[in-house]
Amino acid sequence: MATSKQLQYVVDSAMAREVREGLSAMPKRLPAKLFYDEAGSALFEQITELPEYYLTRTERAIFEDYAARILEAAGPSLTLVELGAGTASKTRILIEELLQRQTRALFYPIDVSPSALNEAVRQMATQFPQLRVSPIVADYTGGVPALSRISGRKLVLYIGSSIGNFEPSQAVGILRRIRRSLRAGDALLLGTDLAKSSKILVPAYDDAQGVTAQFNKNMLVRLNRELDADFDLGAFRHVAVWNKRCSRMEMYLESTVKQSVFLPALDLDVPFEEGERLHTENSYKYTEEMVNTIVHESGFTLEKTWSDSKGWFGVHLARV
Ligand code: AVI
């Protein structure tokens, strides 16, 4: 006989554990990687085209202006590796330049998402017949041992300010693990957003059209769908703050009322005070000193930095 009462079950996945930990902590937090489900990735693509979000177009302009010098400095006969997909439009500028300098090239995009990789392979293979694309499905933050089996001089691209979403100490750990799979002479091309006026930074993370607000709230949409939570999207507001002391932009979801949210799949009740903030992301804005520190602490030597005319974004070449 059918019953109207649904069987409720508790979810015990790595993601569920992180959500439980974050929502039970004081202050409350959620891991930024939760942003990137299908809807979140599409919203991020939209963000990269917003007038206020200068990062993507500024880094692209650096590649357009300096691709030849970057590749010259990296060395002859390069094999490209890219950590994280979804940056294909900028990588393409470097590949175009690379194929002017060598008749054939190998490209290893690395990503946790097979669908992101498929898209990268499809686009690259049609645009560049002289390029052999070999995707690697891996979480690069844990290191990529498969890289050590690739012969020839490698240039590892870690662009788009992706490193900025990690704590600097975590960033050092990631770069160190990547370095372990590289050989002397290999290089890293690291893209970092740079510290600047809050008048530029805050709107980049709180745009007039509200796309970043939607991106931030998408985390709650995801918890409602995947963990059966009952977050009321109208009862939270998007907040972006410049933390000068830590040199980072911080994003929060602030509860506009005193309320309680229930996550049946975690059997967890989460009380919020009016005005209480849930921390969802840090985006570090590097100074020259911070770049030097993470590069050296991870065992690389910083050789050169290219920047735009306003000094808003940096592309750094570091050598093993
Ligand atoms: C992916 N990452 C580099 C973006 C950033 O700027 O930190 C994520 C983002 N968050 C809000 N807007 C964009």
Side-chain angles (χ1 to χ4, degrees), residues 36 44 47 53 55 160-162 165 205 212 215 251 281 283:
Y36 301 98
F44 177 63
I47 287 175
Y53 195 79
L55 287 81
S161 180
S162 306
N165 295 129
Y205 289 81
T212 311
F215 173 73
M251 293 209 315
E281 185 185 59
S283 189

Side-chain angles (χ1 to χ4, degrees), residues 6-73:
Q6 289 246 312
L7 181 66
Q8 193 53 63
Y9 49 85
V10 169
V11 177
D12 185 21
S13 60
M15 182 258 218
R17 279 193 291 275
E18 272 190 83
V19 170
R20 171 191 295 285
E21 226 178 86
L23 292 180
S24 311
M26 208 51 177
K28 296 181 177 62
R29 57 180 150 76
L30 282 171
K33 64 182 174 205
L34 275 188
F35 284 135
Y36 301 98
D37 63 355
E38 214 182 309
S41 302
L43 283 165
F44 177 63
E45 282 307 308
Q46 256 179 273
I47 287 175
T48 63
E49 292 177 5
L50 291 170
E52 298 94 331
Y53 195 79
Y54 60 86
L55 287 81
T56 312
R57 63 169 180 276
T58 307
E59 188 181 42
R60 183 180 300 123
I62 297 172
F63 287 158
E64 275 162 0
D65 289 347
Y66 298 110
R69 286 187 226 177
I70 291 172
L71 294 179
E72 180 73 41

Side-chain angles (χ1 to χ4, degrees), residues 1 4 28 89 105 113 117 128 169 228:
M1 201 177 76
S4 60
K28 296 181 177 62
S89 73
S113 154
L117 284 172
F128 304 110
S169 59
D228 226 3

